[in-house]
Amino acid sequence: MEQLDQTLAAIAAATTPDAIESLRVAALGKQGWVSALLKTLGAMSADERLVAGPRIHAAREAVSAALAARKASLEAAALDARLAAERVDLTLPAAPPLRGSIHPVSQVQDELVEIFADLGFAVATGPEIEDDWHNFTALNMPETHPARAMHDTFYFPDRDKAGRSMLLRTHTSPVQIRTMLAQGAPLRIIAPGRVYRSDSDATHTPMFHQIEGLVIDRAIHLGHLKWTLETFLKAFFERDDVVLRLRPSYFPFTEPSVEVDVGYSLIAGKRVVGGDGDAPGGGWMEVLGAGIINRAVIAAGGLDPDEWQGFAFGTGVDRLAMLKYAMDDLRAFFDGDVRWLDHYGFAALDVPTLSGGVGVRA
Ligand code: DAH
């Protein structure tokens, strides 16, 4: 059978899956020559069929077997080629991955967690969908309190089972209440997370990130707060000359309340944190809100304010990132533009550590 020899030779010479498939169709397909031979069996006499039948079936078997064998050897060769091409030399030194980077918000959050972990703070969390008791009332902002109006709150249409209005939390401060209620005292926590306000321009986005700090213990006073913030800001900005200015302020949940500024100097038109803000060419910028926790808040947290005192602080993570890494448009943080991330992102293996420098850039 000349056709059989030709087909087997062609199969042996085929180098691609497509070539094998067209050879299969040409032989075994509906119009193929093996199928055509099979059809001739019907018109034969019984004797003729006895001779021709086994030969035709044997040809079909031979073609099928040759196709399968060639396919298997091509696949094995392809796998070998791929293994050779993707070979990884595990003895080479580790290199950072070439694609993908850590978003500045994640980076700064990791830096903050690292700094506060070193000071003995644990990380606490709370829900982003909050009720108005945790977000406002327990923080000494009863329903008629004017501070509620300042928060541009996103409310949900329905109340929860306890009849409380539901909202997207406007700050991370409700985590103070949740942690006091869940863990009691003493406490040392930070709570980083997303918060929401109906506000949008170059420095405000409807979703942004805050970090809250809370310390509850006995005989806590403003000195503890100032030392903690100074230590934190020096570690964060990686400078020893960070100067703090505490300005009297008002927050419903703290008494007394302070706004905390850091001194900066103008270098090539840019604000660089460090030094006395009152020095010529310098200035102050606000970085934190803080204070000694209001007695009413300690009580809402289920603790006795005569026994337990504390301090708290809150700040914007995105804002800290903008200050430290000189970025000027907050909206770009959440655009998901890969080019922006390529520029401002951090190498995935560059995990912040105090010993290595929390913000080292790849
Ligand atoms: N919750 C405040 C805000 O969103 C920030 C803040 C101020 C938090 C003072 C605090 C604090 O814990 O003590 O604007």
Side-chain angles (χ1 to χ4, degrees):
M1 234 188 276
E2 198 181 324
Q3 259 167 326
L4 178 61
D5 293 340
Q6 273 172 9
T7 300
L8 293 180
I11 290 172
T15 54
T16 64
D18 283 350
I20 292 183
E21 176 59 10
S22 51
L23 287 166
R24 186 193 66 79
V25 171
L28 307 180
K30 272 205 186 100
Q31 319 288 336
W33 63 267
V34 177
S35 310
L37 284 177
L38 283 168
K39 278 182 208 141
T40 61
L41 289 173
M44 290 181 189
S45 70
D47 286 347
E48 284 171 333
R49 200 178 300 136
L50 218 52
V51 179
R55 285 183 58 208
I56 298 173
H57 284 295
R60 188 174 66 174
E61 288 308 307
V63 171
S64 296
L67 285 168
R70 186 69 192 141
K71 208 169 147 208
S73 81
L74 280 182
E75 279 168 2
L79 183 61
D80 283 347
R82 209 176 133 196
L83 285 172
E86 293 178 6
R87 184 161 175 267
V88 175
D89 184 349
L90 294 177
T91 65
L92 288 174
L98 294 176
R99 290 208 57 82
S101 57
I102 304 292
H103 194 284
V105 171
S106 303
Q107 169 76 18
V108 166
Q109 256 176 26
D110 290 348
E111 291 175 22
L112 298 173
V113 168
E114 174 72 15
I115 291 166
F116 280 105
D118 193 55
L119 297 174
F121 285 64
V123 173
T125 56
E128 289 170 31
I129 296 176
E130 254 307 357
D131 58 65
D132 71 348
W133 187 82
H134 287 93
N135 195 82
F136 292 126
T137 313
L139 290 162
N140 200 29
M141 282 183 270
E143 218 141 299
T144 53
H145 199 288
R148 282 198 181 202
M150 283 159 42
H151 276 215
D152 302 312
T153 312
F154 288 112
Y155 282 96
F156 288 92
D158 298 324
R159 289 169 183 265
D160 74 353
K161 286 190 212 95
R164 292 172 179 168
S165 295
M166 298 302 288
L167 46 85
L168 291 173
R169 68 177 180 192
T170 57
H171 50 177
T172 43
S173 303
V175 183
Q176 293 186 22
I177 304 296
R178 289 188 174 273
T179 313
M180 280 190 268
L181 288 173
Q183 297 178 22
L187 273 182
R188 237 187 275 180
I189 56 125
I190 50 163
R194 293 194 186 98
V195 301
Y196 302 83
R197 289 183 203 177
S198 170
D199 205 354
S200 194
D201 60 36
T203 51
H204 297 88
T205 48
M207 184 282 299
F208 57 105
H209 299 82
Q210 283 189 340
I211 188 162
E212 192 80 13
L214 171 71
V215 168
I216 305 269
D217 214 317
R218 295 187 168 90
I220 291 287
H221 55 73
L222 267 180
H224 297 120
L225 170 64
K226 189 178 180 203
W227 182 88
T228 304
L229 296 181
E230 202 171 86
T231 304
F232 147 53
L233 290 167
K234 283 180 175 172
F236 179 71
F237 287 109
E238 298 177 59
R239 301 179 65 118
D240 277 336
D241 65 346
V242 173
V243 179
L244 265 57
R245 183 174 77 173
L246 270 57
R247 267 182 299 111
S249 182
Y250 172 75
F251 299 105
F253 25 91
T254 46
E255 181 56 41
S257 304
V258 293
E259 275 173 313
V260 182
D261 301 337
V262 290
Y264 67 82
S265 49
L266 281 178
I267 296 178
K270 282 209 181 274
R271 291 178 177 191
V272 177
V273 171
D276 181 353
D278 286 332
W284 298 99
M285 61 191 161
E286 188 199 323
V287 287
L288 284 149
I292 297 297
I293 301 166
N294 194 301
R295 290 172 60 86
V297 175
I298 304 253
L303 300 172
D304 176 358
D306 288 328
E307 184 180 1
W308 299 104
Q309 295 78 44
F311 66 76
F313 55 88
T315 183
V317 173
D318 320 87
R319 206 174 121 70
L320 286 178
M322 289 171 81
L323 281 178
K324 182 167 179 182
Y325 296 112
M327 299 178 274
D328 46 23
D329 192 343
L330 180 62
R331 288 167 298 197
F333 277 53
F334 311 118
D335 280 348
D337 187 327
V338 177
R339 290 164 304 179
W340 186 86
L341 266 178
D342 279 345
H343 184 73
Y344 286 113
F346 292 80
L349 290 183
D350 187 18
V351 178
T353 59
L354 284 178
S355 54
V358 280
V360 174
R361 199 119 202 216

